[in-house]
Amino acid sequence: GQQLNQSPQSMFIQEGEDVSMNCTSSSIFNTWLWYKQDPGEGPVLLIALYKAGELTSNGRLTAQFGITRKDSFLNISASIPSDVGIYFCAGRLNNQFYFGTGTSLTVIP
Amino acid sequence: GAVVSQHPSRVICKSGTSVKIECRSLDFQATTMFWYRQFPKQSLMLMATSNEGSKATYEQGVEKDKFLINHASLTLSTLTVTSAHPEDSSFYICSARDPGRDYGYTFGSGTRLTVV
């Protein structure tokens, strides 16, 4: 399957700090998605990106679809304790999704 | 919005037995559903694509005779883990696409399978 490399693998930040994570691929995707997964739950969609260069926000979250279509980043501003979880990027290719390796976020109050 | 219900949320079974996991689209019809497997602290790995009315498409390395997928209706896909072994213990998650939405790939809440 397709390999999506996500970094960093884990982050420990203070409440109020901004967070940035990214995802890169050797393949070109036509859609990039960012999900958050809480323990024992399925992933929940945060942001969807459809075209190269697109920059989309959802509250404190901002994500961008890279120009090369092989990468994407997610920023979280002014982090709060409930931002804790694992964030996954996903690329869509031929109606299938391939997930990144995940970024575990810990927010210290 | 689109809702995908997955059942059971947790199951413990003995080695050698079979376990069935259900994935239902509650407010939309899904011609395609996906089954993923997730080991602790790892990413989701696509196992197979379930197609309504036809055979599932399995990813390389996934045994189709062990992980039986049935998509008999537009709202239900089932994954049966046959002759379960402890190494099959994992978190299984389904997702489905709402054709009425551009990116309506919604995930179920997952099933934690423990084989003892």
Side-chain angles (χ1 to χ4, degrees):
Chain A
Q2 301 294 328
Q3 183 71 37
L4 300 184
N5 298 307
Q6 192 171 338
S7 65
Q9 185 176 8
S10 61
M11 301 182 73
F12 294 81
I13 62 169
Q14 294 282 358
E15 181 177 359
E17 289 184 352
D18 296 343
V19 174
S20 183
M21 61 190 78
N22 66 72
C23 203
T24 60
S25 170
S26 57
S27 300
I28 292 175
F29 288 103
N30 49 34
T31 303
W32 279 95
L33 304 165
W34 284 93
Y35 288 87
K36 181 188 178 195
Q37 185 180 26
D38 291 325
E41 298 289 333
V44 174
L45 180 65
L46 299 175
I47 292 180
L49 304 159
Y50 300 107
K51 57 184 180 181
E54 180 180 352
L55 184 71
T56 298
S57 294
N58 178 9
R60 293 179 296 106
L61 278 62
T62 301
Q64 185 160 27
F65 192 143
I67 293 293
T68 65
R69 296 170 62 191
K70 293 183 178 182
D71 62 345
S72 178
F73 73 75
L74 174 71
N75 286 342
I76 304 173
S77 63
S79 59
I80 59 178
S82 62
D83 290 336
V84 165
I86 301 179
Y87 292 78
F88 289 101
C89 63
R92 190 176 83 171
L93 183 64
N94 299 328
N95 276 338
Q96 289 185 343
F97 282 105
Y98 299 94
F99 282 81
T101 47
T103 295
S104 174
L105 177 64
T106 301
V107 179
I108 303 168
Chain B
V3 177
V4 174
S5 173
Q6 192 171 337
H7 179 81
S9 58
R10 293 177 181 271
V11 58
I12 301 174
C13 71
K14 292 184 177 180
S15 291
T17 62
S18 296
V19 173
K20 179 184 286 187
I21 303 170
E22 294 186 348
C23 183
R24 293 181 185 274
S25 56
L26 296 188
D27 51 359
F28 65 99
Q29 294 182 330
T31 56
T32 304
M33 293 185 176
F34 303 92
W35 287 96
Y36 295 84
R37 183 174 183 176
Q38 185 179 33
F39 290 106
K41 298 186 179 181
Q42 292 190 22
S43 188
L44 287 78
M45 298 300 297
L46 179 64
M47 297 175 66
T49 302
S50 173
N51 305 297
E52 188 269 335
S54 65
K55 292 182 179 180
T57 304
Y58 290 82
E59 293 297 295
Q60 189 174 6
V62 178
E63 300 175 59
K64 62 180 180 181
D65 294 330
K66 180 167 185 63
F67 298 100
L68 300 178
I69 291 174
N70 184 280
H71 195 152
S73 78
L74 286 171
T75 59
L76 173 65
S77 174
T78 61
L79 169 68
T80 301
V81 182
T82 63
S83 187
H85 291 156
E87 56 264 32
D88 297 327
S89 298
S90 189
F91 193 55
Y92 293 87
I93 308 173
C94 68
S95 75
R97 177 175 179 266
D98 179 355
R101 298 171 62 189
D102 249 355
Y103 55 86
Y105 289 85
T106 303
F107 284 83
S109 54
T111 297
R112 172 71 62 193
L113 171 63
T114 303
V115 184
V116 298

